[in-house]
Amino acid sequence: MTVLTLRAADRPERLRGLVSGLLALGIAVVVVLAIVGALLVAVDVDPLLAAQALWNGAFGTTRSVGETLVRATPLLLIAITLIPSLRAGLYNIGAPGQMGFGALAATVIALQGAALPSVVLVPLCAIGGCVAGMAAAFVPGVLKAKFHANEIITTLAVNFIAVAVLGYLLNGALQSDFANLPQSDTLPESSGLPILLTDTRAHLGLLLALLAVPMLWAADRSRVGYRLRVFGANASLAKQAGVRPARYTIGLMTLGGAGAGLAGWMQVAALDHRLYPGVADPVGYAGLFVALLGALHPLGTLIAAVALGALLHGGDSLQVGAGVTPEIVQVLLGLILLAYAVRATRSAATARATKRKEGRSWTFSKRS
Amino acid sequence: MDLLEAILNTSLRLMVPLLLAALGELIAERAGVLNIGLEGMITAGAFSAYAAVMLGWGWPAAIIAALVIGAAVAAVMAIGAVWMGGNQILVGFALFILVPGIANFLYVQIGWTDGSPALNTFAVPLLSEIPVFGPALFEQTVFFYLAALLAAAVWFLFARTRAGVVVTATGHSPVSVNNRGSSSRRVRTYALLACGALAGIAGAAMSLGSVGSYVPNIVGGRGLIVIAIVILGRWTVPGAVAGALLIAVLDSLQLNLAEQSGIPLQLFSTLPWLVVIAMLVVSARLRSNVPRTLAQ
């Protein structure tokens, strides 16, 4: 039933998904701001002053707009590659770990290939980062498909393992001779990415991330995209129709690591020019939020990425502007996710049983 | 012999918060709620216990504060995931992000920097004189005895009481519980509140018992390790005790052996996570008494 109606209901369903996603964003913003405001008042900070500092930090000058875009870039990339797996009910929350491994691979390649010309080295680093990120997601994918190991716990475990591995390498083999801190040598100039907008740090990666949006849109309309939706809506039916669940699970999880791996590469190649243990901190879990807040829709994701990019960057300038620690942004993110989570349906089975939002059920199916 | 004694002692000390949290998660999962937000509940307990001590309330009040605030976070989870029908996993993940965020924010913003005096250990007369095992088992903080007591209580709950049977039944088939005239939602809410209270005490055991202070990210992912412990323990109390002890022994090996062996500290810290992954793989083969409606 569901499968047959999927295609017919496709277009209006998608639009409705976008509208309801935007509506959710609006409601979430109001409720969340009220709670955050109360928290700020509790520690004697003027919420309006903080809001003003946040806005100025995010959009005040050309430079800050650029910084917002810099933050939005990895968020968008991660979110776009996570969306297919989220639609199938796989929660890959290993983006920080996959970013870490991606950054590690890119750093090693850049340092080893310093003599190579830029045209060769940049793509090489990108591919290395991407593959490393995918490998870090492939392992939990295999564990999920073959051993039914809960992917939330395994991907999180990989995050902690990544931090440990980076800490180990940066205190030993990769540590710069000129630093007491755990950080690598500076990456060669030839591995850097060209700047896209003058006077900012917005780099070529932004273009890559923007390119991913229509790619997802096109993939949704392809044969594989259709099969994926069938798989997400009803895995056992898909199995009877010749879709192999194990292969799809592994494929989707691995794809989810690609964006994070690329984001890790961009972080070291375009922005920091060196590797350090907290390389994934600026982005962390926020890529997953972007995908969810964008209602798993390509366009909604783009809007959510810019909004969260502004929030993350504006949050950093709060310390200077209003004397508020950046931790408030983590509170903000958590509240947003909470506001969102309580209205997400529990599982495909529940949604079908109650005949509620039938077409949407594939969006948040979670098989136990 | 000294080394063995040191490892045994630190293992049992490190086991306490893990065991307390595992008991809570066990109750929640038996009722069919996969509580990813456990980390948030532990953090809430850790911070509120520390805050209570800093406000000069004394440690008995601090433990009670941790218990209450932990349960309050669990109430948010219950409202979102049980009563509003939200996605259990996402609500839990939101708390996983949100609560440490609030705790860290308040900690930095308020600007307490002092530690609280570490809790005194309490030696049981005579028994603590036993060589090797004596100090480890009978010379610990109050949290150790509390954890042992609560483990026995939770075991008794599931093995011998009607309430325990109802909780287990809710996890397997909420519909039959509803048909019988009880409310599966109410059972799950109570289970979550118990989970939050236990996780809160676990947090207090971390901040007051082990560290003597709150530090940002004090829990450091142990909430997730605890979930893996419950899965490997196959949703039983003895299993949870064994799992918590295993992770604690690995942690204490890291503390005690890293200095002496050539293996770097950072690689030792991956060990619990590798064991957790192995646990998940192994337990998938064994699973038989998994609550049938877990995470639905």
Side-chain angles (χ1 to χ4, degrees):
Chain A
M1 259 293 281
T2 317
V3 176
L4 290 178
T5 55
L6 261 180
R7 208 166 226 177
D10 196 20
R11 192 166 292 272
E13 190 51 52
R14 248 146 215 294
L15 269 176
R16 218 181 307 150
L18 179 61
V19 170
S20 76
L22 288 176
L23 197 69
L25 205 64
I27 295 171
V29 164
V30 173
V31 176
V32 162
L33 286 183
I35 298 174
V36 171
L39 201 59
L40 286 173
V41 170
V43 293
D44 290 331
V45 175
D46 183 1
L48 287 177
L49 192 70
Q52 201 185 3
L54 187 78
W55 178 263
N56 285 339
F59 297 112
T61 61
T62 320
R63 187 172 165 73
S64 53
V65 171
E67 284 301 306
T68 294
L69 290 177
V70 163
R71 290 296 165 87
T73 302
L75 294 179
L76 185 57
L77 258 182
I78 294 173
I80 291 285
T81 54
L82 275 183
I83 284 175
S85 57
L86 285 168
R87 284 181 183 162
L90 290 169
Y91 290 94
N92 172 2
I93 50 180
Q98 292 146 15
M99 253 186 99
F101 281 118
L104 174 65
T107 305
V108 170
I109 292 172
L111 289 176
Q112 294 298 318
L116 293 170
S118 196
V119 230
V120 182
L121 188 57
V122 170
L124 217 55
C125 289
I127 293 168
C130 186
V131 169
M134 286 166 88
F138 174 77
V139 176
V142 170
L143 293 173
K144 170 80 179 175
K146 302 287 181 198
F147 302 102
H148 304 288
N150 186 315
E151 77 280 7
I152 294 180
I153 297 173
T154 50
T155 48
L156 266 160
V158 172
N159 291 347
F160 286 94
I161 291 172
V163 169
V165 168
L166 285 183
Y168 168 63
L169 289 174
L170 289 171
N171 280 305
L174 276 178
Q175 188 173 23
S176 168
D177 297 335
F178 307 107
N180 287 325
L181 299 168
Q183 50 178 253
S184 73
D185 284 323
T186 310
L187 264 56
E189 290 271 325
S190 54
S191 70
L193 288 178
I195 295 295
L196 213 57
L197 305 168
T198 44
D199 292 336
T200 69
R201 291 201 300 164
H203 52 84
L204 198 66
L206 177 62
L207 224 54
L208 192 66
L210 288 175
L211 211 64
V213 177
M215 273 169 69
L216 176 69
W217 188 83
D220 279 348
R221 276 147 189 79
S222 70
R223 181 196 294 245
V224 180
Y226 178 64
R227 287 184 154 213
L228 269 179
R229 264 175 286 149
V230 176
F231 175 64
N234 189 335
S236 63
L237 183 73
K239 197 173 172 182
Q240 286 171 28
V243 171
R244 290 166 69 179
R247 187 177 286 189
Y248 268 68
T249 302
I250 296 173
L252 286 170
M253 289 291 290
T254 310
L255 175 65
L262 285 172
W265 156 65
M266 286 175 192
Q267 191 70 32
V268 289
L271 300 173
D272 300 324
H273 303 294
R274 61 170 35 147
L275 185 65
Y276 52 98
V279 67
D281 284 352
V283 181
Y285 300 109
L288 181 76
F289 293 23
V290 167
L292 293 172
L293 290 175
L296 307 187
H297 184 282
L299 212 59
T301 306
L302 180 60
I303 298 168
V306 175
L308 272 197
L311 208 66
L312 285 177
H313 177 62
D316 286 348
S317 47
L318 275 178
Q319 181 78 66
V320 187
V324 185
T325 62
E327 270 83 6
I328 195 72
V329 173
Q330 198 186 345
V331 177
L332 212 51
L333 288 180
L335 282 171
I336 292 170
L337 186 60
L338 187 63
Y340 182 82
V342 294
R343 62 179 285 286
T345 53
R346 261 182 289 184
S347 68
T350 324
R352 266 197 297 278
T354 54
K355 292 282 173 195
R356 188 165 47 113
K357 298 171 187 164
E358 185 167 351
R360 219 180 66 115
S361 63
W362 52 266
T363 313
F364 297 106
S365 61
K366 174 68 196 172
R367 299 170 319 285
S368 58
Chain B
M1 213 51 189
D2 270 356
L3 185 66
L4 182 68
E5 206 175 318
I7 290 175
L8 193 67
N9 204 337
T10 34
S11 300
L12 288 178
R13 197 159 47 76
L14 292 171
M15 186 180 90
V16 170
L18 293 175
L19 178 58
L20 284 165
L23 292 173
E25 182 71 18
L26 177 75
I27 296 173
E29 289 199 17
R30 278 276 191 123
V33 184
L34 182 63
N35 181 13
I36 304 273
L38 187 69
E39 176 107 357
M41 295 167 197
I42 301 174
T43 311
F47 181 74
S48 42
Y50 171 70
V53 167
M54 292 317 278
L55 293 171
W57 293 358
W59 66 263
I63 295 176
I64 291 169
L67 187 150
V68 171
I69 302 292
V73 175
V76 175
M77 174 93 185
I79 291 167
V82 178
W83 292 94
M84 289 176 72
N87 184 318
Q88 246 176 48
I89 292 183
L90 286 182
V91 174
F93 188 53
L95 294 177
F96 176 87
I97 302 281
L98 172 65
V99 181
I102 293 178
N104 292 350
F105 172 74
L106 290 175
Y107 175 74
V108 176
Q109 207 71 35
I110 294 171
W112 284 321
T113 47
D114 308 339
S116 69
L119 274 184
N120 289 326
T121 55
F122 177 76
V124 178
L126 290 181
L127 289 175
S128 59
E129 309 284 321
I130 304 170
V132 186
F133 288 100
L137 283 176
F138 299 106
E139 198 179 336
Q140 295 275 6
T141 61
V142 61
F143 290 107
F144 179 83
Y145 306 110
L146 202 58
L149 212 66
L150 285 168
V154 174
W155 175 83
F156 184 80
L157 172 77
F158 283 116
R160 292 284 183 274
T161 69
R162 193 179 184 82
V165 174
V166 172
V167 170
T168 309
T170 308
H172 284 312
S173 169
V175 177
S176 7
V177 172
N178 287 336
N179 289 344
R180 217 183 120 267
S182 316
S183 161
S184 64
R185 287 181 163 185
R186 197 170 295 164
V187 174
R188 286 187 169 173
T189 306
Y190 288 147
L192 268 174
L193 290 177
C195 172
L198 282 164
I201 301 176
M206 277 184 194
S207 65
L208 298 187
S210 315
V211 184
S213 168
Y214 179 85
V215 284
N217 302 324
I218 184 172
V219 185
R222 284 202 197 84
L224 295 153
I225 289 189
V226 165
I227 293 172
I229 287 174
V230 173
I231 293 174
L232 183 79
R234 301 177 73 200
W235 297 273
T236 65
V237 175
V241 174
L245 186 62
L246 174 66
I247 296 292
V249 167
L250 290 175
D251 271 346
S252 88
L253 283 180
Q254 183 189 334
L255 289 177
N256 289 305
L257 277 187
E259 293 288 309
Q260 297 168 24
S261 69
I263 308 168
L265 189 69
Q266 287 93 352
L267 290 191
F268 252 112
S269 66
T270 64
L271 208 57
W273 295 105
L274 295 175
V275 170
V276 161
I277 293 179
M279 277 177 171
L280 288 177
V281 169
V282 172
S283 69
R285 297 278 145 136
L286 301 173
R287 93 175 32 176
S288 58
N289 58 345
V290 44
R292 276 178 216 125
T293 58
L294 191 61
Q296 275 179 18

